[in-house]
C-alpha cells in the first residue's frame, strides 16, 4: 500500500498542512490505493468513490497525459456522503509500474471556506440590497412616479406613507448615491461626465458621508424652529444637499456662496422649506433651467449639482418650490417632507 | 443512457441554487444562501422517451463569466445561463457572457433563463424583453416551479439534437 508520505514525495512538490487524502483511480474510476487519512475506502470490495462529481469529469480526466499540469477544482461542496464540507480537489495523470492512473488529491478546507462563505454572504446581501434599490429608483425615474405613488401601488398603507417614504429612501439613498448619479448621468448628460469632474464630486460626497456615517449628528434647522431637530439619516441628507452645492465653490470658475439661508417648518411634522442663495448666479431664463435636460461642459457645475439636488429632493417626495431671480443672484427654494424626530 | 454535464451559471443571487433544488428535490427556500464553489447532483429526465442523465453543476455566481474557474467548464455539454428579471445588472453582460461561454466550450448548448418571473407583471416582462440584448429562451420561477422542468427539457432536447 502506498502511504501519504510516499505519495507526497513522489507526486506533490509542496504538500500543505491542509493535505488530507490521496487516492489512485484506475480506468474505471475504481480506487486502487488510498492513504485513508480522511475517509476509508480500502476495506471496501471493490473500492469506489463514484459520485455525480466524479462521473461528470472522469471522461475528461482519463484523457490527461502523464506530466501535464494538475487540474484543480476548488471549493467543491459535499461531493459525496463521506465528505460533508468544502474541498479542493486536484487530479493528475500518473504512471506506476507501467500502468496509468488518476491521482486524486483531496484538501479539506471546510473551516476556511465556511468563513469565506459567511463573508461572501454578507457582501452579496449588501450588493443585492443596493441593486434592488437601484431597480426601484430606475423604476421611479422611468415611470415618473413619485415615491408616494410607488408605495401606494405596493399597498403599504396611506397613513404611514410619508414616514415610509422617508425611511425607505433615507435609509438607502446614501448607499446608492453613486448609482443615483449614474442614473442622472445616463438620463441627462450621457458621456459628458467622463470629461468633467463629476466622479470627483461624487467621491467627495461619499467621503463626506462616510466621515459622518457613524456619528450621531444633529443639525439645528433654524432659529425659528429651534426646538425641532433632525437626526440620523435625515441630517445626513441635509448635509449631503448642502455639501453637494457647496462643492461648487471649489470647482466652479465663478465662486458661489451657497448656504442654507432659512428653514421654515410650514407643517412642523411634515415639511421643511429651505432656501439656497447663489449671489453670483443670474439665470437668464428660469423656465429653460427648470426644463433643462442636458448639460454641457460650458454649464456652470453649480447648475448641474443643483439639478442633482432637485432630483434627490424629488426622490424624497420633495419639490422645487420656486426659483427667484434677485438683483444679486438667484434664490432657489425647496420643500422636503421630513418626519421630525 | 446518455450522461451529460450541465452547468448552472450567472450572476450571484439570481436563483441558480433555487432552480437546482427545485429541479432535483421540488424544494424552495426563501432564505438566500451564497454558493461559493460548486455543488454537483444528478437527475435522470426523459426526452421523447429517451432517458438523459443530467449531472448538474450549481456553481458560484459571478458578475462576469470570465471569473468562473476554467476547470468548472471541462467536459460540459450544456449551460443554463440564469439572470434575475428584477435586477438589470444580472443581464447587462448577457451577450458578452454567452459569447465567452461558447468560446470556452465549442459546441456547448446554452439556454438563457430569466428567473424570478413571479416577481414581475406581464407588462414588466414585456418591457424587460425590450431591454435584453438577446432574447431569453424561457422565463421561470424557482419559487413556484413554473417552467423549471420545461427549462431542462428544452436543454435536453438541444443536447440530444432533438430541437424543432
Amino acid at each position: 500500500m502506498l502511504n501519504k508520505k510516499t505519495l507526497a514525495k513522489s507526486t506533490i512538490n509542496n504538500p500543505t498542512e491542509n493535505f488530507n487524502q490521496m487516492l489512485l483511480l484506475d480506468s474505471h474510476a475504481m480506487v486502487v490505493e488510498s492513504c485513508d487519512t480522511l475517509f476509508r475506502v480500502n476495506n471496501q470490495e471493490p473500492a469506489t468513490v463514484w459520485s455525480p462529481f466524479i462521473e461528470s469529469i472522469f471522461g475528461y480526466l482519463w484523457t490527461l497525459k502523464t506530466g501535464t499540469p494538475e487540474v484543480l477544482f476548488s471549493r467543491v461542496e459535499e461531493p459525496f456522503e463521506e465528505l460533508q464540507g468544502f474541498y479542493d480537489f486536484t487530479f493528475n495523470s500518473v504512471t506506476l509500474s507501467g500502468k496509468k492512473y488518476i491521482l486524486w488529491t483531496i484538501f479539506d478546507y471546510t473551516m476556511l471556506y465556511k468563513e469565506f462563505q459567511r463573508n461572501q454572504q454578507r457582501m452579496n446581501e449588501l450588493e443585492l440590497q443596493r441593486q434592488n434599490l437601484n431597480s426601484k429608483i430606475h423604476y421611479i425615474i422611468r415611470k415618473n412616479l413619485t415615491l408616494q405613488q410607488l408605495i401606494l401601488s405596493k399597498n403599504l398603507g396611506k397613513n404611514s406613507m410619508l414616514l415610509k417614504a422617508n425611511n425607505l429612501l433615507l435609509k438607502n439613498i446614501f448607499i446608492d448615491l453613486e448609482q443615483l448619479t449614474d442614473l442622472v448621468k445616463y438620463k441627462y448628460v450621457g458621456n459628458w461626465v467622463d470629461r468633467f469632474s463629476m466622479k470627483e464630486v461624487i467621491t467627495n460626497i461619499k467621503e463626506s458621508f462616510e466621515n459622518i456615517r457613524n456619528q450621531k449628528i444633529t443639525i439645528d434647522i433654524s432659529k425659528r424652529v429651534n426646538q425641532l431637530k433632525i437626526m440620523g439619516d435625515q441630517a445626513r441628507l441635509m448635509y449631503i444637499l448642502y455639501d453637494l452645492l457647496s462643492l461648487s465653490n471649489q470647482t466652479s470658475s465663478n465662486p458661489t456662496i451657497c448656504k442654507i439661508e432659512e428653514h421654515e417648518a410650514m407643517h412642523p411634522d411634515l415639511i421643511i422649506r429651505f432656501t439656497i442663495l447663489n449671489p453670483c448666479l443670474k439665470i437668464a431664463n428660469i423656465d429653460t433651467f427648470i426644463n433643462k435636460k442636458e448639460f454641457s461642459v460650458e454649464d456652470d457645475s453649480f447648475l448641474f449639482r443643483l439639478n442633482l439636488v432637485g432630483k434627490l429632493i424629488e426622490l424624497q417626495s420633495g419639490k422645487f418650490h420656486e426659483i427667484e431671480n434677485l438683483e444679486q443672484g438667484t434664490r432657489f427654494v425647496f420643500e422636503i417632507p421630513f418626519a421630525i424626530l | 443512457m446518455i450522461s451529460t454535464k450541465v452547468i448552472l451559471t450567472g450572476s450571484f443571487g439570481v436563483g441558480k441554487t433555487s432552480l437546482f433544488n427545485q429541479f432535483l428535490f421540488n424544494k424552495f427556500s426563501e432564505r438566500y444562501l451564497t454558493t461559493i464553489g460548486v455543488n454537483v447532483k444528478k437527475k435522470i429526465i426523459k426526452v421523447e422517451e429517451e432517458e438523459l442523465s443530467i449531472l448538474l453543476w450549481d456553481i458560484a455566481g459571478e458578475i462576469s463569466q470570465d471569473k468562473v474557474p476554467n476547470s468548472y467548464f471541462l467536459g460540459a455539454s450544456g449551460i443554463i445561463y440564469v439572470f434575475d428579471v428584477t435586477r438589470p445588472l444580472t443581464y447587462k453582460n448577457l451577450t458578452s457572457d454567452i459569447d465567452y461561454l461558447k468560446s470556452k466550450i465549442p459546441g456547448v448548448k446554452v439556454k438563457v433563463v430569466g428567473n424570478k418571473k413571479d416577481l414581475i407583471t406581464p407588462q414588466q416582462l414585456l418591457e424587460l424583453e425590450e431591454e435584453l440584448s438577446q432574447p431569453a429562451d424561457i422565463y421561470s420561477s424557482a419559487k413556484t416551479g413554473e417552467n423549471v422542468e420545461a427549462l431542462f427539457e428544452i436543454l435536453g432536447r438541444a443536447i440530444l439534437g432533438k430541437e424543432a
Side-chain angles (χ1 to χ4, degrees), chain A residues 137 140-148 165 169 173 180 184 187-188 237 241 274 290 293 306-320 334-337:
Chain A
I137 291 176
I140 292 167
I141 290 176
R142 198 174 52 184
K143 289 289 181 187
N144 208 20
L145 291 178
T146 66
L147 194 60
Q148 285 97 327
L169 276 179
I173 203 160
L180 177 71
V184 174
K187 198 171 172 68
Y188 293 109
L237 176 68
L241 298 182
F274 68 97
I290 291 171
K293 297 294 181 197
L306 194 67
N307 198 279
L308 189 55
V309 165
K311 185 59 68 182
L312 280 165
I313 287 172
E314 206 174 279
L315 284 167
Q316 303 299 319
S317 312
K319 61 182 181 183
F320 242 136
F334 299 93
E335 279 186 345
I336 185 165

mmCIF file of all heavy atoms in Angstrom, chain A residues 137 140-148 165 169 173 180 184 187-188 237 241 274 290 293 306-320 334-337:
data_model
loop_
_atom_site.group_PDB
_atom_site.id
_atom_site.type_symbol
_atom_site.label_atom_id
_atom_site.label_comp_id
_atom_site.label_asym_id
_atom_site.label_seq_id
_atom_site.Cartn_x
_atom_site.Cartn_y
_atom_site.Cartn_z
ATOM 1 N N ILE A 137 -35.308 52.828 -7.934
ATOM 2 C CA ILE A 137 -35.089 54.199 -8.389
ATOM 3 C C ILE A 137 -35.232 54.265 -9.913
ATOM 4 O O ILE A 137 -35.849 55.177 -10.459
ATOM 5 C CB ILE A 137 -33.706 54.699 -7.940
ATOM 6 C CG1 ILE A 137 -33.691 54.865 -6.420
ATOM 7 C CG2 ILE A 137 -33.361 56.021 -8.604
ATOM 8 C CD1 ILE A 137 -32.362 55.249 -5.852
ATOM 9 N N ILE A 140 -38.798 54.292 -10.638
ATOM 10 C CA ILE A 140 -39.437 55.581 -10.325
ATOM 11 C C ILE A 140 -39.144 56.588 -11.427
ATOM 12 O O ILE A 140 -40.029 57.278 -11.924
ATOM 13 C CB ILE A 140 -38.905 56.137 -8.976
ATOM 14 C CG1 ILE A 140 -39.363 55.256 -7.816
ATOM 15 C CG2 ILE A 140 -39.399 57.556 -8.754
ATOM 16 C CD1 ILE A 140 -38.634 55.556 -6.528
ATOM 17 N N ILE A 141 -37.882 56.657 -11.811
ATOM 18 C CA ILE A 141 -37.484 57.652 -12.804
ATOM 19 C C ILE A 141 -38.124 57.340 -14.161
ATOM 20 O O ILE A 141 -38.661 58.205 -14.834
ATOM 21 C CB ILE A 141 -35.950 57.719 -12.904
ATOM 22 C CG1 ILE A 141 -35.386 58.337 -11.625
ATOM 23 C CG2 ILE A 141 -35.517 58.508 -14.132
ATOM 24 C CD1 ILE A 141 -33.895 58.376 -11.555
ATOM 25 N N ARG A 142 -38.076 56.067 -14.516
ATOM 26 C CA ARG A 142 -38.593 55.680 -15.826
ATOM 27 C C ARG A 142 -40.092 55.909 -15.900
ATOM 28 O O ARG A 142 -40.633 56.344 -16.901
ATOM 29 C CB ARG A 142 -38.264 54.209 -16.082
ATOM 30 C CG ARG A 142 -38.369 53.826 -17.537
ATOM 31 C CD ARG A 142 -37.894 52.412 -17.755
ATOM 32 N NE ARG A 142 -38.549 51.480 -16.854
ATOM 33 C CZ ARG A 142 -38.241 50.184 -16.796
ATOM 34 N NH1 ARG A 142 -37.281 49.705 -17.526
ATOM 35 N NH2 ARG A 142 -38.873 49.392 -15.955
ATOM 36 N N LYS A 143 -40.765 55.615 -14.793
ATOM 37 C CA LYS A 143 -42.219 55.724 -14.794
ATOM 38 C C LYS A 143 -42.695 57.102 -14.374
ATOM 39 O O LYS A 143 -43.884 57.376 -14.392
ATOM 40 C CB LYS A 143 -42.817 54.694 -13.819
ATOM 41 C CG LYS A 143 -42.701 53.278 -14.313
ATOM 42 C CD LYS A 143 -43.633 53.051 -15.457
ATOM 43 C CE LYS A 143 -43.538 51.621 -15.953
ATOM 44 N NZ LYS A 143 -44.324 51.436 -17.167
ATOM 45 N N ASN A 144 -41.750 57.940 -13.966
ATOM 46 C CA ASN A 144 -42.104 59.261 -13.482
ATOM 47 C C ASN A 144 -43.086 59.189 -12.318
ATOM 48 O O ASN A 144 -44.020 59.970 -12.214
ATOM 49 C CB ASN A 144 -42.694 60.082 -14.623
ATOM 50 C CG ASN A 144 -42.460 61.556 -14.410
ATOM 51 O OD1 ASN A 144 -41.565 61.924 -13.647
ATOM 52 N ND2 ASN A 144 -43.249 62.388 -15.051
ATOM 53 N N LEU A 145 -42.907 58.206 -11.464
ATOM 54 C CA LEU A 145 -43.770 58.055 -10.295
ATOM 55 C C LEU A 145 -43.153 58.797 -9.124
ATOM 56 O O LEU A 145 -41.940 58.879 -9.014
ATOM 57 C CB LEU A 145 -43.861 56.579 -9.884
ATOM 58 C CG LEU A 145 -44.599 55.614 -10.785
ATOM 59 C CD1 LEU A 145 -44.517 54.215 -10.200
ATOM 60 C CD2 LEU A 145 -46.046 56.030 -10.908
ATOM 61 N N THR A 146 -43.997 59.329 -8.275
ATOM 62 C CA THR A 146 -43.457 59.824 -7.024
ATOM 63 C C THR A 146 -43.306 58.611 -6.111
ATOM 64 O O THR A 146 -43.908 57.562 -6.338
ATOM 65 C CB THR A 146 -44.403 60.831 -6.351
ATOM 66 O OG1 THR A 146 -45.571 60.120 -5.985
ATOM 67 C CG2 THR A 146 -44.750 61.977 -7.283
ATOM 68 N N LEU A 147 -42.521 58.823 -5.098
ATOM 69 C CA LEU A 147 -42.321 57.716 -4.171
ATOM 70 C C LEU A 147 -43.644 57.326 -3.509
ATOM 71 O O LEU A 147 -43.919 56.148 -3.285
ATOM 72 C CB LEU A 147 -41.301 58.119 -3.108
ATOM 73 C CG LEU A 147 -40.767 56.962 -2.302
ATOM 74 C CD1 LEU A 147 -40.077 55.941 -3.190
ATOM 75 C CD2 LEU A 147 -39.814 57.464 -1.253
ATOM 76 N N GLN A 148 -44.454 58.343 -3.242
ATOM 77 C CA GLN A 148 -45.748 58.043 -2.637
ATOM 78 C C GLN A 148 -46.563 57.112 -3.526
ATOM 79 O O GLN A 148 -47.179 56.164 -3.065
ATOM 80 C CB GLN A 148 -46.563 59.335 -2.398
ATOM 81 C CG GLN A 148 -46.075 60.141 -1.238
ATOM 82 C CD GLN A 148 -45.167 61.243 -1.697
ATOM 83 O OE1 GLN A 148 -44.447 61.087 -2.677
ATOM 84 N NE2 GLN A 148 -45.160 62.353 -0.990
ATOM 85 N N ALA A 165 -41.927 56.673 3.270
ATOM 86 C CA ALA A 165 -41.141 57.287 2.199
ATOM 87 C C ALA A 165 -39.786 57.717 2.737
ATOM 88 O O ALA A 165 -38.738 57.436 2.150
ATOM 89 C CB ALA A 165 -41.881 58.483 1.634
ATOM 90 N N LEU A 169 -36.233 55.675 1.599
ATOM 91 C CA LEU A 169 -35.147 56.253 0.820
ATOM 92 C C LEU A 169 -34.031 56.832 1.675
ATOM 93 O O LEU A 169 -32.873 56.726 1.328
ATOM 94 C CB LEU A 169 -35.683 57.296 -0.145
ATOM 95 C CG LEU A 169 -36.195 56.631 -1.425
ATOM 96 C CD1 LEU A 169 -36.752 57.660 -2.368
ATOM 97 C CD2 LEU A 169 -35.080 55.862 -2.115
ATOM 98 N N ILE A 173 -30.597 55.691 0.446
ATOM 99 C CA ILE A 173 -30.165 56.531 -0.659
ATOM 100 C C ILE A 173 -28.668 56.806 -0.606
ATOM 101 O O ILE A 173 -28.022 56.984 -1.617
ATOM 102 C CB ILE A 173 -30.974 57.841 -0.696
ATOM 103 C CG1 ILE A 173 -30.916 58.389 -2.120
ATOM 104 C CG2 ILE A 173 -30.460 58.847 0.304
ATOM 105 C CD1 ILE A 173 -32.016 59.349 -2.400
ATOM 106 N N LEU A 180 -27.426 56.472 -8.105
ATOM 107 C CA LEU A 180 -28.387 57.501 -8.468
ATOM 108 C C LEU A 180 -27.759 58.476 -9.443
ATOM 109 O O LEU A 180 -28.338 58.830 -10.461
ATOM 110 C CB LEU A 180 -28.872 58.234 -7.225
ATOM 111 C CG LEU A 180 -29.830 59.380 -7.542
ATOM 112 C CD1 LEU A 180 -31.162 58.843 -8.016
ATOM 113 C CD2 LEU A 180 -30.016 60.263 -6.344
ATOM 114 N N VAL A 184 -28.733 59.679 -13.197
ATOM 115 C CA VAL A 184 -28.862 61.068 -13.640
ATOM 116 C C VAL A 184 -27.923 61.295 -14.816
ATOM 117 O O VAL A 184 -28.288 61.883 -15.831
ATOM 118 C CB VAL A 184 -28.534 62.031 -12.479
ATOM 119 C CG1 VAL A 184 -28.523 63.460 -12.985
ATOM 120 C CG2 VAL A 184 -29.557 61.873 -11.370
ATOM 121 N N LYS A 187 -29.401 59.715 -17.766
ATOM 122 C CA LYS A 187 -30.610 60.365 -18.255
ATOM 123 C C LYS A 187 -30.323 61.753 -18.830
ATOM 124 O O LYS A 187 -30.917 62.151 -19.804
ATOM 125 C CB LYS A 187 -31.599 60.486 -17.091
ATOM 126 C CG LYS A 187 -33.031 60.749 -17.517
ATOM 127 C CD LYS A 187 -33.920 60.636 -16.309
ATOM 128 C CE LYS A 187 -35.348 61.067 -16.607
ATOM 129 N NZ LYS A 187 -36.037 60.174 -17.515
ATOM 130 N N TYR A 188 -29.408 62.431 -18.209
ATOM 131 C CA TYR A 188 -29.253 63.832 -18.584
ATOM 132 C C TYR A 188 -27.968 64.186 -19.344
ATOM 133 O O TYR A 188 -27.961 65.105 -20.127
ATOM 134 C CB TYR A 188 -29.304 64.711 -17.330
ATOM 135 C CG TYR A 188 -30.640 64.711 -16.669
ATOM 136 C CD1 TYR A 188 -30.836 64.085 -15.459
ATOM 137 C CD2 TYR A 188 -31.729 65.324 -17.281
ATOM 138 C CE1 TYR A 188 -32.075 64.063 -14.855
ATOM 139 C CE2 TYR A 188 -32.972 65.317 -16.695
ATOM 140 C CZ TYR A 188 -33.150 64.685 -15.476
ATOM 141 O OH TYR A 188 -34.373 64.676 -14.896
ATOM 142 N N LEU A 237 -28.919 63.637 4.992
ATOM 143 C CA LEU A 237 -29.437 64.124 3.712
ATOM 144 C C LEU A 237 -29.183 65.624 3.593
ATOM 145 O O LEU A 237 -28.691 66.105 2.570
ATOM 146 C CB LEU A 237 -30.933 63.836 3.572
ATOM 147 C CG LEU A 237 -31.531 64.427 2.293
ATOM 148 C CD1 LEU A 237 -31.006 63.720 1.058
ATOM 149 C CD2 LEU A 237 -33.047 64.374 2.309
ATOM 150 N N LEU A 241 -26.979 67.483 0.747
ATOM 151 C CA LEU A 241 -27.513 68.520 -0.140
ATOM 152 C C LEU A 241 -26.646 69.775 -0.038
ATOM 153 O O LEU A 241 -26.281 70.385 -1.047
ATOM 154 C CB LEU A 241 -28.958 68.858 0.245
ATOM 155 C CG LEU A 241 -29.985 67.730 0.141
ATOM 156 C CD1 LEU A 241 -31.375 68.225 0.501
ATOM 157 C CD2 LEU A 241 -29.987 67.109 -1.232
ATOM 158 N N PHE A 274 -36.405 75.007 2.666
ATOM 159 C CA PHE A 274 -35.106 75.663 2.804
ATOM 160 C C PHE A 274 -34.709 76.314 1.497
ATOM 161 O O PHE A 274 -35.186 75.964 0.420
ATOM 162 C CB PHE A 274 -34.036 74.712 3.318
ATOM 163 C CG PHE A 274 -33.629 73.621 2.375
ATOM 164 C CD1 PHE A 274 -32.500 73.757 1.577
ATOM 165 C CD2 PHE A 274 -34.372 72.456 2.302
ATOM 166 C CE1 PHE A 274 -32.132 72.753 0.723
ATOM 167 C CE2 PHE A 274 -33.996 71.445 1.447
ATOM 168 C CZ PHE A 274 -32.876 71.591 0.650
ATOM 169 N N ILE A 290 -35.415 75.148 -15.508
ATOM 170 C CA ILE A 290 -36.255 74.109 -14.901
ATOM 171 C C ILE A 290 -36.404 72.918 -15.836
ATOM 172 O O ILE A 290 -36.372 71.766 -15.421
ATOM 173 C CB ILE A 290 -37.650 74.695 -14.542
ATOM 174 C CG1 ILE A 290 -37.495 75.692 -13.396
ATOM 175 C CG2 ILE A 290 -38.625 73.591 -14.133
ATOM 176 C CD1 ILE A 290 -38.741 76.472 -13.103
ATOM 177 N N LYS A 293 -32.618 69.507 -19.680
ATOM 178 C CA LYS A 293 -32.454 68.056 -19.686
ATOM 179 C C LYS A 293 -31.017 67.645 -20.005
ATOM 180 O O LYS A 293 -30.627 66.517 -19.766
ATOM 181 C CB LYS A 293 -33.394 67.412 -20.719
ATOM 182 C CG LYS A 293 -34.870 67.628 -20.435
ATOM 183 C CD LYS A 293 -35.313 66.926 -19.162
ATOM 184 C CE LYS A 293 -36.792 67.136 -18.903
ATOM 185 N NZ LYS A 293 -37.166 66.828 -17.523
ATOM 186 N N LEU A 306 -27.168 71.486 -8.734
ATOM 187 C CA LEU A 306 -28.479 71.918 -8.267
ATOM 188 C C LEU A 306 -29.557 70.997 -8.831
ATOM 189 O O LEU A 306 -30.501 70.616 -8.141
ATOM 190 C CB LEU A 306 -28.735 73.354 -8.721
ATOM 191 C CG LEU A 306 -29.901 74.048 -8.040
ATOM 192 C CD1 LEU A 306 -29.607 74.275 -6.568
ATOM 193 C CD2 LEU A 306 -30.196 75.373 -8.715
ATOM 194 N N ASN A 307 -29.382 70.641 -10.079
ATOM 195 C CA ASN A 307 -30.328 69.720 -10.699
ATOM 196 C C ASN A 307 -30.316 68.376 -9.986
ATOM 197 O O ASN A 307 -31.350 67.756 -9.754
ATOM 198 C CB ASN A 307 -29.953 69.551 -12.170
ATOM 199 C CG ASN A 307 -31.105 68.987 -12.970
ATOM 200 O OD1 ASN A 307 -31.305 67.780 -12.953
ATOM 201 N ND2 ASN A 307 -31.855 69.849 -13.639
ATOM 202 N N LEU A 308 -29.119 67.967 -9.615
ATOM 203 C CA LEU A 308 -28.974 66.699 -8.903
ATOM 204 C C LEU A 308 -29.650 66.783 -7.528
ATOM 205 O O LEU A 308 -30.343 65.865 -7.093
ATOM 206 C CB LEU A 308 -27.479 66.374 -8.742
ATOM 207 C CG LEU A 308 -27.105 65.010 -8.220
ATOM 208 C CD1 LEU A 308 -27.736 63.930 -9.067
ATOM 209 C CD2 LEU A 308 -25.593 64.858 -8.235
ATOM 210 N N VAL A 309 -29.459 67.921 -6.883
ATOM 211 C CA VAL A 309 -30.124 68.140 -5.593
ATOM 212 C C VAL A 309 -31.636 68.064 -5.780
ATOM 213 O O VAL A 309 -32.344 67.429 -4.999
ATOM 214 C CB VAL A 309 -29.714 69.512 -4.999
ATOM 215 C CG1 VAL A 309 -30.649 69.909 -3.871
ATOM 216 C CG2 VAL A 309 -28.293 69.453 -4.497
ATOM 217 N N GLY A 310 -32.093 68.698 -6.861
ATOM 218 C CA GLY A 310 -33.528 68.664 -7.160
ATOM 219 C C GLY A 310 -34.020 67.241 -7.295
ATOM 220 O O GLY A 310 -35.073 66.866 -6.797
ATOM 221 N N LYS A 311 -33.194 66.414 -7.962
ATOM 222 C CA LYS A 311 -33.566 65.011 -8.170
ATOM 223 C C LYS A 311 -33.611 64.257 -6.833
ATOM 224 O O LYS A 311 -34.528 63.501 -6.557
ATOM 225 C CB LYS A 311 -32.559 64.379 -9.124
ATOM 226 C CG LYS A 311 -32.874 62.970 -9.538
ATOM 227 C CD LYS A 311 -34.213 62.825 -10.219
ATOM 228 C CE LYS A 311 -34.241 63.508 -11.578
ATOM 229 N NZ LYS A 311 -35.579 63.399 -12.207
ATOM 230 N N LEU A 312 -32.614 64.525 -6.011
ATOM 231 C CA LEU A 312 -32.597 63.878 -4.686
ATOM 232 C C LEU A 312 -33.821 64.270 -3.866
ATOM 233 O O LEU A 312 -34.452 63.441 -3.218
ATOM 234 C CB LEU A 312 -31.326 64.283 -3.924
ATOM 235 C CG LEU A 312 -30.046 63.551 -4.296
ATOM 236 C CD1 LEU A 312 -28.845 64.287 -3.738
ATOM 237 C CD2 LEU A 312 -30.079 62.134 -3.766
ATOM 238 N N ILE A 313 -34.125 65.552 -3.927
ATOM 239 C CA ILE A 313 -35.278 66.038 -3.161
ATOM 240 C C ILE A 313 -36.573 65.440 -3.706
ATOM 241 O O ILE A 313 -37.459 65.034 -2.958
ATOM 242 C CB ILE A 313 -35.304 67.581 -3.177
ATOM 243 C CG1 ILE A 313 -34.179 68.093 -2.275
ATOM 244 C CG2 ILE A 313 -36.652 68.119 -2.743
ATOM 245 C CD1 ILE A 313 -33.963 69.567 -2.328
ATOM 246 N N GLU A 314 -36.625 65.376 -5.017
ATOM 247 C CA GLU A 314 -37.804 64.785 -5.653
ATOM 248 C C GLU A 314 -37.999 63.339 -5.176
ATOM 249 O O GLU A 314 -39.102 62.884 -4.927
ATOM 250 C CB GLU A 314 -37.575 64.793 -7.161
ATOM 251 C CG GLU A 314 -38.819 64.820 -7.994
ATOM 252 C CD GLU A 314 -38.453 64.969 -9.464
ATOM 253 O OE1 GLU A 314 -38.188 66.111 -9.901
ATOM 254 O OE2 GLU A 314 -38.392 63.944 -10.131
ATOM 255 N N LEU A 315 -36.872 62.650 -5.052
ATOM 256 C CA LEU A 315 -36.949 61.260 -4.607
ATOM 257 C C LEU A 315 -37.370 61.149 -3.145
ATOM 258 O O LEU A 315 -37.752 60.087 -2.684
ATOM 259 C CB LEU A 315 -35.600 60.560 -4.821
ATOM 260 C CG LEU A 315 -35.319 60.192 -6.277
ATOM 261 C CD1 LEU A 315 -33.874 59.817 -6.470
ATOM 262 C CD2 LEU A 315 -36.217 59.041 -6.705
ATOM 263 N N GLN A 316 -37.226 62.244 -2.418
ATOM 264 C CA GLN A 316 -37.718 62.268 -1.032
ATOM 265 C C GLN A 316 -39.137 62.811 -0.979
ATOM 266 O O GLN A 316 -39.603 63.225 0.079
ATOM 267 C CB GLN A 316 -36.828 63.166 -0.168
ATOM 268 C CG GLN A 316 -35.362 62.784 -0.146
ATOM 269 C CD GLN A 316 -35.154 61.409 0.393
ATOM 270 O OE1 GLN A 316 -35.794 61.022 1.350
ATOM 271 N NE2 GLN A 316 -34.276 60.650 -0.230
ATOM 272 N N SER A 317 -39.773 62.840 -2.133
ATOM 273 C CA SER A 317 -41.129 63.382 -2.245
ATOM 274 C C SER A 317 -41.162 64.879 -2.015
ATOM 275 O O SER A 317 -42.206 65.437 -1.684
ATOM 276 C CB SER A 317 -42.092 62.690 -1.275
ATOM 277 O OG SER A 317 -41.949 61.310 -1.362
ATOM 278 N N GLY A 318 -40.035 65.525 -2.163
ATOM 279 C CA GLY A 318 -39.996 66.977 -2.042
ATOM 280 C C GLY A 318 -40.148 67.620 -3.407
ATOM 281 O O GLY A 318 -40.411 66.944 -4.404
ATOM 282 N N LYS A 319 -39.976 68.937 -3.456
ATOM 283 C CA LYS A 319 -40.127 69.596 -4.757
ATOM 284 C C LYS A 319 -39.361 70.920 -4.776
ATOM 285 O O LYS A 319 -39.035 71.504 -3.735
ATOM 286 C CB LYS A 319 -41.594 69.845 -5.064
ATOM 287 C CG LYS A 319 -42.273 70.745 -4.059
ATOM 288 C CD LYS A 319 -43.747 70.921 -4.401
ATOM 289 C CE LYS A 319 -44.407 71.855 -3.377
ATOM 290 N NZ LYS A 319 -45.828 72.007 -3.597
ATOM 291 N N PHE A 320 -39.070 71.360 -5.964
ATOM 292 C CA PHE A 320 -38.585 72.709 -6.190
ATOM 293 C C PHE A 320 -39.752 73.644 -5.912
ATOM 294 O O PHE A 320 -40.788 73.555 -6.585
ATOM 295 C CB PHE A 320 -38.232 72.850 -7.675
ATOM 296 C CG PHE A 320 -36.803 73.148 -7.936
ATOM 297 C CD1 PHE A 320 -36.135 72.476 -8.940
ATOM 298 C CD2 PHE A 320 -36.122 74.103 -7.210
ATOM 299 C CE1 PHE A 320 -34.814 72.749 -9.218
ATOM 300 C CE2 PHE A 320 -34.806 74.372 -7.475
ATOM 301 C CZ PHE A 320 -34.131 73.690 -8.482
ATOM 302 N N PHE A 334 -36.580 75.032 -1.870
ATOM 303 C CA PHE A 334 -37.033 73.638 -1.936
ATOM 304 C C PHE A 334 -37.941 73.338 -0.757
ATOM 305 O O PHE A 334 -37.790 73.926 0.314
ATOM 306 C CB PHE A 334 -35.847 72.678 -1.835
ATOM 307 C CG PHE A 334 -34.841 72.817 -2.934
ATOM 308 C CD1 PHE A 334 -33.743 73.648 -2.770
ATOM 309 C CD2 PHE A 334 -34.984 72.114 -4.104
ATOM 310 C CE1 PHE A 334 -32.809 73.772 -3.768
ATOM 311 C CE2 PHE A 334 -34.054 72.232 -5.110
ATOM 312 C CZ PHE A 334 -32.954 73.063 -4.949
ATOM 313 N N GLU A 335 -38.812 72.416 -0.963
ATOM 314 C CA GLU A 335 -39.595 71.898 0.161
ATOM 315 C C GLU A 335 -39.380 70.391 0.219
ATOM 316 O O GLU A 335 -39.370 69.723 -0.815
ATOM 317 C CB GLU A 335 -41.085 72.183 -0.025
ATOM 318 C CG GLU A 335 -41.463 73.593 0.370
ATOM 319 C CD GLU A 335 -42.957 73.800 0.312
ATOM 320 O OE1 GLU A 335 -43.648 72.958 -0.287
ATOM 321 O OE2 GLU A 335 -43.425 74.809 0.861
ATOM 322 N N ILE A 336 -39.218 69.930 1.424
ATOM 323 C CA ILE A 336 -38.972 68.497 1.559
ATOM 324 C C ILE A 336 -39.694 67.962 2.790
ATOM 325 O O ILE A 336 -39.650 68.583 3.846
ATOM 326 C CB ILE A 336 -37.450 68.228 1.618
ATOM 327 C CG1 ILE A 336 -37.173 66.735 1.635
ATOM 328 C CG2 ILE A 336 -36.782 68.896 2.787
ATOM 329 C CD1 ILE A 336 -35.727 66.418 1.338
ATOM 330 N N PRO A 337 -40.407 66.884 2.642
ATOM 331 C CA PRO A 337 -41.124 66.335 3.797
ATOM 332 C C PRO A 337 -40.180 65.533 4.694
ATOM 333 O O PRO A 337 -39.387 64.725 4.207
ATOM 334 C CB PRO A 337 -42.167 65.410 3.167
ATOM 335 C CG PRO A 337 -41.594 65.024 1.861
ATOM 336 C CD PRO A 337 -40.663 66.109 1.429
#
